[in-house]
Amino acid sequence: HVQLVESGGGSVQAGGSLRLSCSATGERYSSYCMGWFREAPGKPREGVASIYTRSGDTYYDDSVKGRFTISQDSTKRTLYLQMNMLKPEDTAMYYCAARANFMGARPPLTFGTYSDWGQGTQVTVS
């Protein structure tokens, strides 16, 4: 398993930008699928972006496509989520997730796929 710590959340006005980071420590594997999820009050946790660390393949939920970009720095074992053109409906707690040695047709945005989770970082858009 890996331990994940998110950072970079905050408050921003609509139309603004934030970059979230997720640092991974612990066991090392040759490949992971990693994802960003969010959970707003009263709503289920939903996946917004995912990536296969070996291939670099990415996948986005339609709600963020064209506005959010997921990326990685493998040397730093850090995952990023660049969020541009933020909207009030993007307000949520954002979580980083990982699962080692998982491959499929595309990086999954399914909650149950992931085994390791961070504690979350709050993003508020007004």
Side-chain angles (χ1 to χ4, degrees):
H1 290 278
V2 294
Q3 291 73 50
L4 303 170
V5 178
E6 303 94 336
S7 61
S11 297
V12 65
Q13 291 187 335
S17 299
L18 283 173
R19 188 176 82 156
L20 306 184
S21 299
C22 171
S23 296
T25 59
E27 295 183 86
R28 290 180 178 268
Y29 296 92
S30 58
S31 66
Y32 296 85
C33 63
M34 297 192 75
W36 286 100
F37 288 73
R38 65 187 180 187
E39 187 171 337
K43 295 185 178 181
R45 193 170 297 189
E46 61 175 1
V48 297
S50 55
I51 187 169
Y52 282 135
T53 60
R54 174 175 281 182
S55 67
D57 290 348
T58 59
Y59 186 71
Y60 297 91
D61 184 78
D62 286 345
S63 65
V64 305
K65 203 171 293 182
R67 300 188 298 122
F68 291 11
T69 303
I70 188 171
S71 63
Q72 61 174 331
D73 184 332
S74 57
T75 60
K76 296 181 180 179
R77 300 189 75 191
T78 300
L79 184 73
Y80 302 101
L81 185 69
Q82 178 67 44
M83 305 186 295
N84 298 328
M85 296 182 287
L86 282 161
K87 304 176 181 179
E89 51 263 45
D90 295 318
T91 295
M93 185 72 80
Y94 282 72
Y95 298 90
C96 173
R99 176 168 170 178
N101 298 325
F102 180 91
M103 286 297 292
R106 66 173 186 229
L109 287 178
T110 309
F111 174 86
T113 298
Y114 293 85
S115 55
D116 303 318
W117 292 85
Q119 294 301 306
T121 186
Q122 178 68 38
V123 172
T124 303
V125 185
S126 59

